[in-house]
Amino acid sequence: MKDLSKLREDFPVLSRRRNGKPLIYFDNAATTLKPRQVIDAVKSYYENCSANVHRGVYELSQEATDLYEDSRSRIADFIGCKSNELVFVRNTTEGINLVAYGIKWIPGDEVISTVMEHHSNMIPWQIASKRFGVELKYAGVKQDGQLDLDELEQLVTDRTRLIAVCHVSNVLGTINDVKRIARIAHDHGALLLVDAAQSVPHMPINVKELDCDFLAFSGHKLLGPTGIGCLYIREGVEEELEPPFGGGEMISHVELYSYRLNDMPWRFEPGTPNIAGAIGLATAVDYLKSIGMESIREHEKQLTARAIEILKELDGIEVYGPTDPEKRCGLVAFNLKGVSGELIAALLDEFENIAVRSGFHCAQPLHKVFGAQSSVRASFYLYNTLDELEVFKRGLERIKNELGK
């Protein structure tokens, strides 16, 4: 990460101060800040074009279509797939739901997931279980925060239709061995869906190397706008799905009692899409590529290693997940014994203007595994610094002193 101070100037929100203290933003796993380049790209679309896509032959509509489809191509290249394999959705959640409600289920089909999943990769399968007669199974998590892959493999049978797993846990930071899970799935004729909300923003991703069939991620977690995300569908696998939403654009021909589906990816994009969001997301992808995903990954490993050191130095703090930064992404979840996570988050905000997340982080079953009522999560990104972590340490020390911990 070269010239970090100059890079930070691209993010207007970082200029905010309160009581003379700069904002320290450690809630990047929830959503990231937006650089001026992304803000300007969205603004430019609305100021200079603002037309709908795929609809008109006039200049503005053609311009909008070109911007939109060019954005798709740039984002597809970012994750190593073809343009026609990339479907625009609102977020990771919608991408997962599209698969859950789109698969042509047969009663008795099995879905295997894990207890470390975000609720967005858990609730859709529970609903599918009730609605379509699908059997749902969960692989467990070891106390060191690693997924029990041996248990997962033992759960797979010839009835297993799909394995749905996060690439990175949004609580533990654990990086799962998706390639091994893909082999397990495909050896049994099953499909693999990857929740990549916490991996695509933070490390180099190539869907072909991962060998997954579906991969979903959100734009707002990688410097892009809210309300835009992507679902990768491996070429040919789309035939396993019936579009769960109908309307304009997703059809090529319509009669009163029949229709013919459009080609990929438009068959899964009914109605007017989030054009400005797609343009903003492509700009965010370009920004990340200009820095280099390997550089971002190395920077986050340094931050994570120091954060774990700080937390381990303080008595009474329990850290969840792998302690080796090589095995986890740039976030740490922890608790201070006898103090609620909400109070810690509030005091860090009050004392040092530090933004962290507290609660279940949409992973309530996972917290039960570790006997935690909730946790505090500090999550990092390319604009965070080691100096900010020293302020974080100072804030935690003050909390411990004032609460007598």
Side-chain angles (χ1 to χ4, degrees):
M1 295 292 296
K2 297 179 180 178
D3 205 353
L4 189 53
S5 61
K6 189 173 188 331
L7 179 149
R8 285 170 59 86
E9 293 175 1
D10 289 336
F11 295 85
V13 177
L14 290 176
S15 65
R16 286 180 59 128
R17 302 181 75 86
R18 193 178 69 205
N19 298 325
K21 295 185 177 182
L23 170 68
I24 296 177
Y25 188 77
F26 282 172
D27 195 21
N28 294 285
T31 197
T32 57
L33 306 180
K34 319 307 176 196
R36 296 182 192 278
Q37 292 86 337
V38 170
I39 297 166
D40 290 345
V42 172
K43 183 170 177 279
S44 176
Y45 162 73
Y46 283 123
E47 285 186 343
N48 300 310
C49 184
S50 205
N52 211 331
V53 296
H54 303 146
R55 304 292 202 272
V57 296
Y58 57 92
E59 182 181 24
L60 278 183
S61 180
Q62 291 294 308
E63 219 173 86
T65 299
D66 289 345
L67 288 168
Y68 182 68
E69 293 301 340
D70 178 64
S71 295
R72 190 195 306 275
S73 296
R74 286 149 58 196
I75 299 164
D77 179 71
F78 184 62
I79 63 167
C81 71
K82 301 176 184 177
S83 291
N84 67 342
E85 295 177 303
L86 191 82
V87 176
F88 282 124
V89 290
R90 287 181 298 172
N91 43 44
T92 308
T93 302
E94 184 175 59
I96 294 171
N97 276 271
L98 191 156
V99 176
Y101 305 140
I103 286 183
K104 302 165 187 175
W105 299 107
I106 299 170
D109 281 347
E110 298 172 345
V111 172
I112 297 172
S113 191
T114 84
V115 298
M116 69 164 57
E117 302 305 314
H118 188 283
H119 295 164
S120 294
N121 200 24
M122 188 174 282
I123 303 304
W125 312 117
Q126 293 185 20
I127 294 174
S129 177
K130 294 178 181 178
R131 187 173 295 176
F132 305 115
V134 174
E135 184 177 351
L136 180 57
K137 302 176 181 179
Y138 292 103
V141 178
K142 301 175 183 178
Q143 283 301 304
D144 65 357
Q146 299 287 342
L147 179 62
D148 192 335
L149 289 173
D150 292 333
E151 181 185 9
L152 186 148
E153 187 165 12
Q154 290 169 7
L155 291 173
V156 181
T157 73
D158 292 339
R159 297 302 304 271
T160 303
R161 187 74 178 275
L162 180 86
I163 297 176
V165 63
C166 60
H167 195 176
V168 170
S169 167
N170 75 315
V171 176
L172 304 174
T174 308
I175 302 172
N176 288 321
D177 188 349
V178 169
K179 292 182 182 180
R180 179 180 169 185
I181 299 170
R183 288 195 298 271
I184 294 170
H186 296 151
D187 284 349
H188 291 81
L191 299 167
L192 174 63
L193 178 145
V194 177
D195 172 355
Q198 299 295 340
S199 61
V200 168
H202 302 284
M203 63 181 71
I205 295 293
N206 185 297
V207 292
K208 304 303 181 183
E209 292 179 4
L210 293 177
D211 199 24
C212 55
D213 301 288
F214 308 102
L215 181 140
F217 62 96
S218 297
H220 70 95
K221 294 183 189 291
L222 54 94
L223 309 183
T226 54
I228 188 72
C230 298
L231 173 67
Y232 159 72
I233 302 177
R234 186 204 295 268
E235 194 168 31
V237 175
E238 71 272 10
E239 299 305 326
E240 299 273 347
L241 305 176
E242 186 70 30
F245 311 113
E249 189 60 35
M250 50 82 65
I251 40 75
S252 61
H253 185 80
V254 178
E255 299 289 347
L256 287 177
Y257 297 101
S258 64
Y259 63 88
R260 185 165 61 244
L261 285 174
N262 204 344
D263 296 330
M264 279 286 290
W266 305 289
R267 64 172 60 184
F268 296 111
E269 295 180 3
T272 297
N274 185 352
I275 304 164
I279 293 167
L281 179 52
T283 305
V285 161
D286 291 343
Y287 187 95
L288 293 173
K289 288 173 73 173
S290 72
I291 296 167
M293 295 308 297
E294 288 285 2
S295 297
I296 292 170
R297 172 70 180 133
E298 290 303 313
H299 178 64
E300 288 188 14
K301 282 195 289 189
Q302 291 181 15
L303 295 171
T304 306
R306 179 56 186 145
I308 292 172
E309 282 179 3
I310 288 170
L311 294 169
K312 292 290 187 182
E313 289 169 2
L314 300 174
D315 292 337
I317 288 184
E318 181 177 8
V319 181
Y320 304 105
T323 56
D324 183 355
E326 293 290 340
K327 296 180 179 179
R328 65 184 299 155
C329 236
L331 62 89
V332 287
F334 64 95
N335 272 318
L336 174 60
K337 188 176 181 179
V339 182
S340 74
E342 288 73 14
L343 179 58
I344 293 172
L347 292 177
L348 283 172
D349 181 48
E350 178 185 342
F351 293 164
E352 299 292 352
N353 200 15
I354 298 174
V356 296
R357 182 59 58 104
S358 61
F360 287 123
H361 320 301
C362 293
Q364 192 166 356
L366 179 60
H367 279 78
K368 288 184 177 180
V369 170
F370 292 94
Q373 295 298 316
S374 65
S375 65
V376 183
R377 184 183 67 192
S379 50
F380 318 116
Y381 210 22
L382 67 164
Y383 36 68
N384 292 126
T385 70
L386 289 169
D387 287 343
E388 289 179 324
L389 281 171
E390 298 312 308
V391 179
F392 175 67
K393 179 182 179 181
R394 185 175 71 210
L396 289 173
E397 289 173 337
R398 181 177 173 186
I399 290 170
K400 282 172 57 67
N401 289 335
E402 298 210 4
L403 297 179
K405 297 293 181 179

